[in-house]
Amino acid sequence: MEIPQHLLKRLKKNEEITRKFNEIEISILSILNFKDFFERLLFQIADKFSIPHIWLSIIQESSICQQLKDCSGSQGLKSAIAFVSQERFISIIKNQKPVLANRNLTFFKDLMPDTLTEPIGSLAIAPITLDGKLVGSINQADIDTCRFEPGIDTSLLEQLAQKVSLCLSNVTAHEQLKFLAYHDPLTGLFNRAVFERILDREVSRAKRYNSALSLIFLDFDDFKTINDTAGHSIGDKALCFLADALNSLKRQQDIVARFAGDEFVVILPSTEKNSAAHFIRRINAYFEANPLLSGKYRFNIRISHGISSLSDAGVYSSSELLKRADSKMYQHKAEKKKR
């Protein structure tokens, strides 16, 4: 029996689409960082399927939101991402099935990046997941109102979303391993090994350009008391509370790291001792105004500190800079105990 021509055309078209999907999958499968993964993905889809507008909508509460915000310094990627609250996203995408629309498109405005200023006629939204959890969608739009007309078959969009979700799982796993290699797993700050490499670099740079450099060594006073009184989970919250405060109050060029246990360090490039002391005053004022509250517990965070600078007599290397700040911190702690 002869196969009707319209079925042959449809089979041929589906084969062509499948081939393009496979090419896209092969193209992104070996990429293991968010920036390159999403840039390549969006470019490949737009190129192979002649899509005028393609972008991502990412749920702000999702596990990949911060990583994408961190790498959206890339102008191409920044213009192709819209961040949306989980509540709003779910109100638009009521299940994990693709959505097609060619009317009332302003309803979907929260899913669109600010850079999408041209009028569109139809829209396709394909939800993507990470390890089974909804994290956002990959969206396509065209000026043609019929291209993504509601009612047409969305099985190919579902295939696309599934392939993207699987590849995203690989990228995320690799990014997490890379993050843990450089960061403290509890606080998210740089770990000691990375801090020491950065300090070496900053000391060399300060010497080369004859610029100032200061280092602050911080110790969490009575941290053991919090652990003994409230338990280790509250102790972990206290460490994160301190880390977040240091991160939020530092300048962009300053480096904060967890040195060990309840000890932290702050590298302040182009900073003399008096300015470093001002930073400490700001930190203390912040903790004075913002105690740690957790359930029935209320703790006023107290820190001891030591400041060293490349301008100190006898300080010529990163190890001497660190040793001097450490020594000053223990002096400060001993003085407080005497008082």
Side-chain angles (χ1 to χ4, degrees), residues 101-102 120-123 142-150:
N102 60 1
I120 59 175
S122 59
L123 172 70
D142 198 305
I143 195 168
D144 182 358
T145 57
C146 296
R147 180 158 193 182
F148 301 115
E149 185 177 15

Side-chain angles (χ1 to χ4, degrees), residues 98-110:
V99 172
L100 305 176
N102 60 1
R103 293 182 181 180
N104 303 319
L105 298 183
T106 53
F107 175 72
F108 303 95
K109 188 169 179 58
D110 289 340

Side-chain angles (χ1 to χ4, degrees), residues 237-289:
K237 283 187 179 179
L239 291 172
C240 291
F241 184 72
L242 195 159
D244 291 344
L246 294 175
N247 239 349
S248 64
L249 293 173
K250 75 176 183 66
R251 302 168 303 174
Q252 186 175 2
Q253 67 266 35
D254 298 335
I255 304 296
V256 181
R258 185 181 181 190
F259 190 75
D262 57 356
E263 295 176 335
F264 298 80
V265 281
V266 185
I267 303 172
L268 300 104
S270 304
T271 305
E272 296 287 1
K273 261 188 173 179
N274 56 346
S275 296
H278 177 66
F279 177 74
I280 287 294
R281 288 193 290 271
R282 288 173 58 217
I283 290 293
N284 286 328
Y286 177 85
F287 288 138
E288 196 67 39

Side-chain angles (χ1 to χ4, degrees), residues 281-329:
R281 288 193 290 271
R282 288 173 58 217
I283 290 293
N284 286 328
Y286 177 85
F287 288 138
E288 196 67 39
N290 299 277
L292 171 64
L293 304 174
S294 184
K296 64 180 181 179
Y297 296 105
R298 172 193 173 106
F299 294 103
N300 290 98
I301 304 298
R302 298 282 184 265
I303 54 174
S304 296
H305 70 273
I307 302 173
S308 62
S309 172
L310 273 184
S311 59
D312 291 347
V315 173
Y316 304 105
S317 67
S318 57
S319 60
E320 290 164 343
L321 191 68
L322 180 61
K323 187 177 179 180
R324 180 70 60 91
D326 187 23
S327 175
K328 292 283 186 183
M329 184 273 291

Side-chain angles (χ1 to χ4, degrees), residues 189-191 194-199 201-202 205 213-216 218 246-247 250-258 264-269 279:
L189 298 177
F190 284 124
N191 59 33
V194 173
F195 154 75
E196 289 175 345
R197 291 203 295 271
I198 294 174
L199 184 59
R201 182 195 69 196
E202 291 301 326
R205 181 182 296 169
L213 177 68
S214 291
L215 176 70
I216 302 174
L218 300 167
L246 294 175
N247 239 349
K250 75 176 183 66
R251 302 168 303 174
Q252 186 175 2
Q253 67 266 35
D254 298 335
I255 304 296
V256 181
R258 185 181 181 190
F264 298 80
V265 281
V266 185
I267 303 172
L268 300 104
F279 177 74

Side-chain angles (χ1 to χ4, degrees), residues 171-187:
V171 176
T172 303
H174 185 268
E175 287 281 13
Q176 287 172 345
L177 286 174
K178 188 170 72 173
F179 181 86
L180 291 174
Y182 292 93
H183 296 79
D184 168 53
L186 176 64
T187 63

Side-chain angles (χ1 to χ4, degrees), residues 76-96:
L77 193 55
K78 186 177 182 180
S79 63
I81 300 181
F83 295 100
V84 59
S85 72
Q86 181 170 320
E87 182 181 6
R88 180 63 182 132
F89 188 89
I90 291 175
S91 73
I92 297 171
I93 312 297
K94 294 181 171 57
N95 53 46
Q96 293 188 14

